[in-house]
Amino acid sequence: MLDRLVRRSERTGFRPSRLKQVLTISENLAPGLREYCREVWGAPIVDTYSTREAGYLALQCPDAEHYHLQSETVLVEILNSVGEACAPGEIGRVIVTALHNLAMPLLRYDVGDYAEAGEPCPCGRGLPVIRCILGRRQNMLRLPSGGERWPLLSSGDIGKLVALAPIRQYQFAQTHRDRIEVRLRVGRPLTDDEARVIVDWAHAKFGGAFRIELTFPAELSRTASGKFEDFISLL
């Protein structure tokens, strides 16, 4: 929703003159949105990571863009595939033990999210760090060979895709084990060269074994709760 607001603001020329910061919650923060919001509105984004079951899990550090786990109220573990704590830079499951829910305790509850563990923060707060939240396991990329991995759309190269054509919004859907649908909302019809470059980008991102199909729906799908996901798996 913030992305839509900022884009409309840029088109209309409206600028919220007294805005100091933008608080985001619920969905994963799209790559490039921090810079875009700062450029158009002149305000930084402050993101929050929370769940319905355990409340606030992590708050963005005031001095950086990573997140401090709220260890005073919740124990959060980032565990790898064999159940060991992830080292900084590793991606693992988010396991939560809420310390404030006495009516229905949740002990080592798997919330279904994956996150990347971070280095200790020099800000002096001393709370554990996660660098970014990647999303739910069901949205992992299933490979034709039988394995699976994160599509990693939060990495910096997604900005290259948006720069290739007048793309207003994008979504990737894995419809078959060997097929990915690139759903785009665009400002105008793409040229053949632009479409070809986007397909090449998708092959480089996901792998040459996938068949890439471009579609141009009027609206992009959301979850039942209203959240938007940039990558969805229909397998």
Side-chain angles (χ1 to χ4, degrees):
M1 299 309 297
L2 174 61
D3 182 81
R4 288 191 173 193
L5 287 171
V6 177
R7 290 184 186 279
R8 180 170 180 82
S9 177
E10 185 178 35
R11 291 197 301 271
T12 61
F14 172 77
R15 301 290 189 277
S17 59
R18 301 177 63 184
L19 189 64
K20 293 184 177 180
Q21 61 181 206
V22 178
L23 307 180
T24 52
I25 197 169
S26 182
E27 295 180 6
N28 287 350
L29 195 61
L33 187 53
R34 290 183 186 276
E35 294 76 13
Y36 188 44
C37 184
R38 191 178 290 113
E39 175 188 342
V40 177
W41 282 357
I45 289 177
V46 179
D47 195 34
T48 298
Y49 179 34
S50 67
T51 64
R52 291 183 179 179
E53 301 92 334
Y56 292 108
L57 301 186
L59 305 179
Q60 184 179 319
C61 177
D63 301 331
E65 293 183 353
H66 53 234
Y67 305 78
H68 283 294
L69 295 172
Q70 299 304 289
S71 299
E72 296 94 341
T73 58
V74 60
L75 172 63
V76 179
E77 302 170 83
I78 311 296
L79 303 182
N80 61 22
S81 58
V82 296
E84 298 175 345
C86 288
E90 292 182 340
I91 294 171
R93 295 177 297 138
V94 178
I95 306 298
V96 173
T97 299
L99 305 179
H100 52 74
N101 187 349
L102 304 181
M104 188 183 72
L106 295 175
L107 305 179
R108 306 198 78 192
Y109 174 68
D110 189 338
V111 300
D113 283 349
Y114 278 69
E116 180 181 333
E119 298 277 358
C121 184
C123 72
R125 288 173 175 80
L127 293 168
V129 170
I130 55 175
R131 198 181 74 82
C132 63
I133 302 100
L134 288 92
R136 298 277 170 161
R137 182 188 181 279
Q138 66 262 31
N139 288 339
M140 292 183 77
L141 177 69
R142 272 67 176 185
L143 303 176
S145 60
E148 60 183 25
R149 66 174 174 83
W150 280 101
L152 292 179
L153 294 178
S154 59
S155 59
D157 59 353
I158 195 70
K160 300 177 183 178
L161 171 68
V162 178
L164 294 175
I167 298 174
R168 292 181 177 174
Q169 196 176 16
Y170 58 84
Q171 186 178 64
F172 301 88
Q174 185 172 12
T175 57
H176 300 78
R177 178 68 73 167
D178 62 349
R179 193 177 309 167
I180 294 177
E181 189 176 284
V182 181
R183 302 169 177 175
L184 301 174
R185 294 185 67 245
V186 294
R188 58 164 173 76
L190 301 183
T191 66
D192 291 342
D193 287 342
E194 288 171 335
R196 190 178 306 110
V197 171
I198 291 173
V199 170
D200 290 344
W201 182 96
H203 275 140
K205 181 68 175 177
F206 301 112
F210 288 102
R211 176 181 172 185
I212 306 298
E213 298 178 346
L214 302 186
T215 63
F216 303 92
E219 294 291 334
L220 299 182
S221 63
R222 292 179 174 269
T223 66
S225 61
K227 291 185 178 182
F228 178 78
E229 296 176 326
D230 53 12
F231 184 91
I232 56 177
S233 174
L234 303 182
L235 301 186

